Amino acid sequence: MDPYPTPSDSGHGDRTQPVAGVRPEILASWQRSQSLGIDREGAALPVESDLDPDSRLIRAAAPVLDRLCERFSGVPVTVALVDSQANIVDRRGGPAGLELMNAASLVPGANVDERFMGTSSVSMVLSTRAPFMVVGHEHFLHSLKELTCVAAPVRDPVGGTVRGAVNLSVPRALADPAMALALQDATERIGERLLELSTSREVELMRSFHRARERGGHAELDLASGELTRGGGPPPRLASQERLALLERAVELISSAGEAFAEVPLAGSRVAVLRRRELHHGDVEGAAVEVSFEDTGGTGAPVPATVTAPDGRHVPLLDRPTVAAGADAPGATAEAHAAGPADAWLLLVGEPGVGRLAAEARGRLSLLNEAGGRLGTTLDMWRTAEELAEIAVPRFADLVVVDLVECVLAGEEPPPGRLRPDVALRRVAARAGQGSPDTPAGGVDEPVGYPAGTPQARCLETGQPVTDSVLTAALSGSPADRAHPVDLLGEGVHSYLGAPLSARGSVLGLAGFYRRGRTKPYEEDDLALAGELAARAAISVDNARHYRREHHASLTLQRSLLPHALPRLSAAELASRYLPADARAGVGGDWFDAIPLSGMRVALVVGDVPGNGLQAAATMGRLRTAVRTLAGLDLLPEEVLAHLDDLVSRTPDESADDQDPATGATCLYAVYDPVACRCTAARAGHPPPAVLTPGGRARLIDLPGGPPLGLGGIQPYESATVDLPPGSLLAMYTDGLLKENRGYGDTDVRTGQLLASLGRGGPALEDICDRIAGVLPPGGPHDDVALLLARVHALSEDRVATWEFPSDPSVVARARALTRAQLAAWGMSELDFNTGLVVSELITNAVRYGGRGPVGLRLLRDDSLICEVSDRSNTSPRIRRAAMTEEGGRGLFLVAQFTSSWGARYMPQGKTVWAEQAPQPEQPSPETDEQALLAMFDDSG
């Protein structure tokens, strides 16, 4: 405990309040003192005249305070002992020091609480429940500014209750940090003496009880074994739960001032009757609890004598039945019972205070046990905070407020280490007990902040539980001018305990526990309990944060892997839906895609990866990327699936036993050609697509079934081709649309509902998607659903030009002339030069390398111009770098230069080389730079 320096400008007689060098918690105490209207020149302290001069606290502290004063003999120090209510019960010191205390009204019986005296070392100790030093200028009263005071709490070792405090005052020029250490040793010794006195008192109570027994029918209950030992007949056996129930009820009886008896139901129609007997030994007051048993099942067992209480209840008597009723229950009348004493056994002896501590300790254990079962039932940070508040109110606090760091709520990593007071917090839970006014605990989901020096700020800075007192008015004026929920406790000073929500080395937020008034302040054991509750809640909050972050990452990954928007195509009008089985998780392995191909064709894909979560989404992205890559090669549908199956079957490590996560995935791959109005499709373990032709009925397309990916082995995939009239509606989906439950259920019924929904199709594809989604179960699908609809179109004949030429070099000039004429008819003469060059090069290559057979030329006009040349060869065209001395080998370089894209696709017999150009009529083609073209073919060497 380091002393704080005094500002140089705060000399003798200074009546200002210096701020420099003053700790934030002192400033916060000043604010509370000013709010209470305390006069800094001379506070009026209430004096308690009825103090017990021989209390256990004074007897325990007297010899220790004497040795403390002897240790500082020769130094003008004063020592004061205060009880838990801040009343001065004893004081020591020299004449000068005592005169100074008298001048400040610090006489025996004076109450030095912050409510009356303002900021002082004693008030800070009783508020924070921890040692505290107040340097001269930090006192609120001007009469104390020449002193440095250090105080430490006196704790009862049984339960950690603060029974009082010891204050040591010294002129500030003589203050030494060693005084704080000496005072700490003294208060610990006082606590040890309190325990010694408590033990001796209970021993005397036990002796008093034994001496007071007038008959020999008593025995003692051994709670370890459950045996009731007495000199008479055999005692009844008790189960472990029954023993604990009896002991807990006995503790409550001892600590209760009003209850005299209790009944505890036991197994076998038995009832244990507990009776509280008052004990006195000198100034020691305590109680003993005896137990007897009655059988309510009519077994004929002896029933103890009873009397009728004023409220009509039968009160058992543990003495002889001849005892007068008035001795036990005022106004009671005796009932006649069989003569003879009732069997009674001693259960527990103790003092009310010790009994209260034992009951509170059991209550804390019960609260922790309940927290273990109720905290973190959901992966939701808000709900976890609400659960913490529900558990603590009203058993531990009258009000609970939970605040979390803003970045934690967003799923981000919390700031490392301890938090600064200005960290951005948001209130996530606030709950008040039934004793509060009938108004909701507001302020939830609003930003909050705590100024430096407040106990909340200290808790965040230290990362340790903090106990203190808070003033309602000091918390009501929050930075955002919003009312604090502590207003529900009413005006005045309330007990506060703040516990940080710490997990894995980071502080995630703060839990604030409030008790109305100062009658029941939080003690040392309460700090440990609050820390444990906050720690358990913090683990659940951190787990929820990790889940939120991974969930967000999964959703981001899935959204990035699915098409952001379906392409606009001349071949088909498209619409889609993705319906996750878990709306909160929203992550699965289903996917769909639409891939433009050469020749104005389109590839439609729907797939399903087993499972959910991040791995399923990543696997789906891997397969979708592979499908798009294979589609770019213009492979046939069955070849695409065969390559996918080979990709899934091969693992990175041949010796690994784990199979690819994509094993068992299904896929449907279809290619639609708008020129031929024909669809070719193949499937790998996937449901077949449905089609609705204009004027017809919806039906499933008969496709050969193939095994799921990774399970195909040597079994080949097969495709089927169907003609689709323009306007036909093609529906591709995953099996989640057909499942009634986690299994497939009656798929025929679900398929019939799907076809019926297609049959009622209208012009808008989005409406059809909604109608199909409407046939799903009310609670949502049991598996992820991906749906892709395509209304196919045909390319009109006036936008297609086709010729066939013999394999002869002389046809090149004729092909250019026909192309020029067709471009003029389409109004695309601006592409005449480029297209003529492309046609010349492609037909020349087809004649030279395409083998014997006709050469086909086809022009397709859409938003772009597509030129296709077909031959009977399966050799792949490729660009090679021609040497300077070679006359040929530069044709494909020119094709690549004058077109936006080009490529080749293969047919069962032959291939087609295509090139696409985008017309730009508003921008005339620039003149060709021959030198730049020639530079492309220069040798690097």
Side-chain angles (χ1 to χ4, degrees):
M1 185 179 301
D2 298 328
Y4 284 78
T6 303
S8 58
D9 58 348
S10 57
H12 179 72
D14 185 13
R15 290 297 181 263
T16 62
Q17 288 191 7
V19 176
V22 178
R23 288 165 286 175
E25 52 266 38
I26 295 295
L27 293 177
S29 177
W30 281 1
Q31 181 185 8
R32 296 194 297 267
S33 302
Q34 290 172 346
S35 302
L36 294 170
I38 300 173
D39 185 4
R40 293 192 298 270
E41 299 297 335
L45 304 181
V47 178
E48 175 64 47
S49 58
D50 188 19
L51 292 178
D52 182 7
D54 195 30
S55 68
R56 183 160 46 142
L57 176 62
I58 295 178
R59 284 191 287 131
V64 179
L65 298 183
D66 289 338
R67 286 195 296 270
L68 184 63
C69 290
E70 293 175 0
R71 180 171 182 177
F72 292 106
S73 60
V75 181
V77 300
T78 55
V79 177
L81 175 68
V82 299
D83 60 15
S84 59
Q85 303 301 318
N87 297 311
I88 298 178
V89 296
D90 194 5
R91 61 178 190 170
R92 312 288 173 90
L98 293 178
E99 289 180 3
L100 182 60
M101 295 184 70
N102 291 335
S105 301
L106 302 177
V107 297
N111 193 295
V112 293
D113 191 77
E114 187 181 68
R115 295 172 295 170
F116 312 112
M117 187 178 177
T119 307
S120 68
S121 57
V122 172
S123 66
M124 297 300 290
V125 165
L126 295 180
S127 177
T128 62
R129 327 298 278 182
F132 209 92
M133 176 183 289
V134 177
V135 183
H137 67 281
E138 294 180 331
H139 285 96
F140 189 77
L141 296 181
H142 291 306
S143 59
L144 301 179
K145 290 186 179 294
E146 295 299 322
L147 298 176
T148 291
C149 300
V150 56
V154 176
R155 298 186 183 277
D156 192 331
V158 181
T161 308
V162 174
R163 305 299 297 269
V166 177
N167 178 77
L168 190 149
S169 302
V170 65
R172 62 183 185 183
L174 301 178
D176 191 315
M179 294 180 176
L181 299 177
L183 185 61
Q184 185 74 20
D185 293 338
T187 54
E188 290 177 359
R189 178 56 186 153
I190 295 175
E192 294 173 359
R193 285 182 51 80
L194 282 174
L195 180 61
E196 294 171 0
L197 290 177
S198 297
T199 304
S200 61
R201 289 161 67 96
E202 291 188 359
V203 170
E204 293 301 327
L205 284 176
M206 179 66 72
R207 291 174 181 172
S208 175
F209 175 80
H210 284 289
R211 287 193 299 266
R213 289 190 301 183
E214 297 179 355
R215 57 189 174 89
H218 292 76
E220 294 186 3
L221 174 63
D222 185 356
L223 290 174
S225 64
E227 294 289 345
L228 292 166
T229 58
R230 63 186 293 270
R237 290 283 301 178
L238 291 176
S240 59
Q241 294 182 348
E242 293 175 337
R243 296 198 302 269
L244 292 176
L246 289 179
L247 181 59
E248 184 172 353
R249 196 67 183 94
V251 168
E252 294 175 359
L253 273 181
I254 288 181
S255 59
S256 173
E259 288 186 277
F261 70 96
E263 294 182 351
V264 179
L266 303 176
S269 302
R270 294 181 303 157
V271 174
V273 182
L274 277 63
R275 178 67 180 271
R276 182 177 188 267
R277 180 192 294 271
E278 299 291 340
L279 298 178
H280 301 277
H281 181 77
D283 67 334
V284 183
E285 295 185 358
V289 175
E290 297 174 306
V291 59
S292 64
F293 301 89
E294 27 177 290
D295 193 335
T296 60
T299 59
V303 178
T306 62
V307 296
T308 302
D311 58 2
R313 293 182 298 169
H314 295 300
V315 182
L317 292 175
L318 297 183
D319 293 322
R320 298 178 182 274
T322 57
V323 176
D328 293 290
T333 59
E335 294 182 357
H337 286 279
D343 286 338
W345 291 267
L346 173 64
L347 185 59
L348 190 65
V349 172
E351 292 185 82
V354 178
R356 177 185 66 83
L357 294 175
E360 290 179 353
R362 271 177 163 65
R364 295 186 185 101
L365 291 176
S366 174
L367 197 64
L368 280 178
N369 182 60
E370 181 180 350
R374 292 181 57 184
L375 277 177
T377 57
T378 63
L379 287 173
D380 183 90
M381 288 181 276
W382 295 79
R383 180 55 192 154
T384 299
E386 292 172 359
E387 290 170 344
L388 174 61
E390 292 171 358
I391 291 170
V393 174
R395 297 167 59 183
F396 186 68
D398 297 316
L399 170 71
V400 174
V401 174
V402 182
D403 307 320
L404 292 181
V405 181
E406 289 276 12
C407 64
V408 171
L409 283 172
E412 302 173 3
E413 288 291 336
R418 298 168 182 172
L419 299 181
R420 299 174 55 187
D422 58 352
V423 66
L425 298 171
R426 181 168 293 272
R427 181 152 300 133
V428 293
R431 185 177 182 87
Q434 296 179 353
S436 302
D438 189 17
T439 54
V444 177
D445 198 16
E446 292 182 358
V448 294
Y450 298 103
T454 59
Q456 293 87 346
R458 296 205 311 271
C459 179
L460 294 174
E461 288 177 324
T462 61
Q464 298 294 329
V466 169
T467 182
D468 207 333
S469 58
V470 294
L471 187 66
T472 301
L475 286 178
S476 296
S478 59
D481 295 330
R482 298 184 179 92
H484 193 278
V486 78
D487 291 336
L488 299 177
L489 300 181
E491 293 295 331
V493 181
H494 308 289
S495 298
Y496 171 79
L497 195 161
L501 299 176
S502 302
R504 300 178 176 94
S506 299
V507 179
L508 312 179
L510 172 71
F513 305 89
Y514 297 82
R515 284 179 181 169
R516 183 180 287 103
R518 295 281 298 278
T519 59
K520 192 179 179 182
Y522 287 105
E523 305 293 350
E524 192 72 17
D525 288 349
D526 296 323
L527 284 172
L529 174 61
E532 182 66 23
L533 288 175
R536 296 189 182 192
I539 292 296
S540 299
V541 167
D542 198 47
N543 290 338
R545 180 187 66 83
H546 279 286
Y547 169 77
R548 180 184 180 92
R549 184 180 62 181
E550 294 180 5
H551 179 217
H552 179 72
S554 300
L555 289 179
T556 303
L557 174 62
Q558 186 195 43
R559 293 190 186 106
S560 65
L561 295 177
L562 288 174
H564 295 285
L566 293 174
R568 298 181 59 184
L569 304 170
S570 300
E573 176 188 357
L574 303 175
S576 64
R577 286 289 185 277
Y578 182 85
L579 305 174
D582 186 349
R584 296 183 59 188
V587 177
D590 293 14
W591 90 92
F592 58 87
D593 209 347
I595 310 169
L597 301 178
S598 63
M600 299 180 64
R601 298 169 305 137
V602 59
L604 305 174
V605 191
V606 172
D608 184 0
V609 173
N612 296 89
L614 189 59
Q615 185 179 49
T619 304
M620 174 266 288
R622 183 163 59 93
L623 290 182
R624 179 172 176 252
T625 301
V627 169
R628 293 187 70 89
T629 302
L630 295 172
L633 299 177
D634 265 324
L635 300 177
L636 297 175
E638 62 270 25
E639 294 178 351
V640 170
L641 296 183
H643 283 290
L644 277 180
D645 178 75
D646 184 58
L647 174 67
V648 174
S649 300
R650 286 182 289 125
T651 58
D653 185 1
E654 296 296 339
S655 62
D657 296 331
D658 296 337
Q659 61 183 5
D660 193 303
T663 302
T666 64
C667 183
L668 172 62
Y669 187 91
V671 176
Y672 173 71
D673 187 348
V675 178
C677 295
R678 186 170 296 165
C679 179
T680 303
R683 62 189 179 110
H686 204 85
V691 63
L692 174 66
T693 56
R697 299 180 59 183
R699 61 182 176 85
L700 296 179
I701 298 178
D702 186 15
L703 288 183
L709 301 178
L711 305 175
I714 61 174
Q715 180 178 354
Y717 292 98
E718 300 180 19
S719 63
T721 301
V722 294
D723 293 328
L724 296 180
S728 297
L729 181 60
L730 186 66
M732 303 170 63
Y733 50 89
T734 56
D735 59 6
L737 195 62
L738 306 179
K739 292 182 178 179
E740 290 282 356
N741 46 40
R742 291 299 177 186
Y744 273 87
D746 191 352
T747 57
D748 292 339
V749 174
R750 304 292 297 172
T751 302
Q753 293 175 345
L754 169 64
L755 297 179
S757 300
L758 288 177
R760 297 191 303 270
L765 292 185
E766 295 294 335
D767 294 340
I768 300 176
C769 287
D770 293 337
R771 188 180 302 115
I772 294 176
V775 305
L776 293 171
H782 297 284
D783 193 8
D784 295 343
V785 173
L787 174 66
L788 179 63
L789 298 183
R791 179 173 283 122
V792 299
H793 304 304
L795 192 64
S796 59
E797 294 182 357
D798 60 347
R799 300 169 68 180
V800 181
T802 304
W803 301 277
E804 187 173 273
F805 306 101
S807 181
D808 189 276
S810 61
V811 302
V812 175
R814 182 165 174 262
R816 279 202 307 267
L818 293 173
T819 300
R820 186 180 302 109
Q822 186 63 54
L823 293 180
W826 284 343
M828 305 177 73
S829 297
E830 72 276 3
L831 297 179
D832 188 12
F833 176 80
N834 293 350
T835 307
L837 179 62
V838 170
V839 168
S840 297
E841 292 298 335
L842 294 183
I843 290 184
T844 299
N845 285 341
V847 170
R848 181 174 299 178
Y849 307 109
R852 297 181 181 180
V855 176
L857 172 62
R858 185 170 74 169
L859 300 179
L860 305 176
R861 181 175 69 89
D862 191 34
D863 295 335
S864 60
L865 177 67
I866 301 174
C867 176
E868 298 181 342
V869 175
S870 304
D871 57 46
R872 297 296 181 88
S873 172
N874 288 324
T875 58
S876 175
R878 60 185 180 89
I879 298 178
R880 68 182 184 87
R881 192 170 188 85
M884 286 293 293
T885 57
E886 292 183 288
E887 296 182 0
R890 300 178 178 87
L892 291 181
F893 274 107
L894 296 176
V895 172
Q897 177 69 21
F898 289 102
T899 60
S900 59
S901 59
W902 73 280
R905 65 176 181 269
Y906 297 89
M907 301 172 291
Q909 292 183 352
K911 68 177 182 297
T912 297
V913 181
W914 56 271
E916 184 175 3
Q917 303 174 73
Q920 298 178 350
E922 69 281 359
Q923 295 181 359
S925 301
E927 295 184 2
T928 305
D929 187 351
E930 293 84 354
Q931 296 301 323
L933 289 176
L934 292 175
M936 295 174 57
F937 309 117
D938 288 344
D939 282 336
S940 58

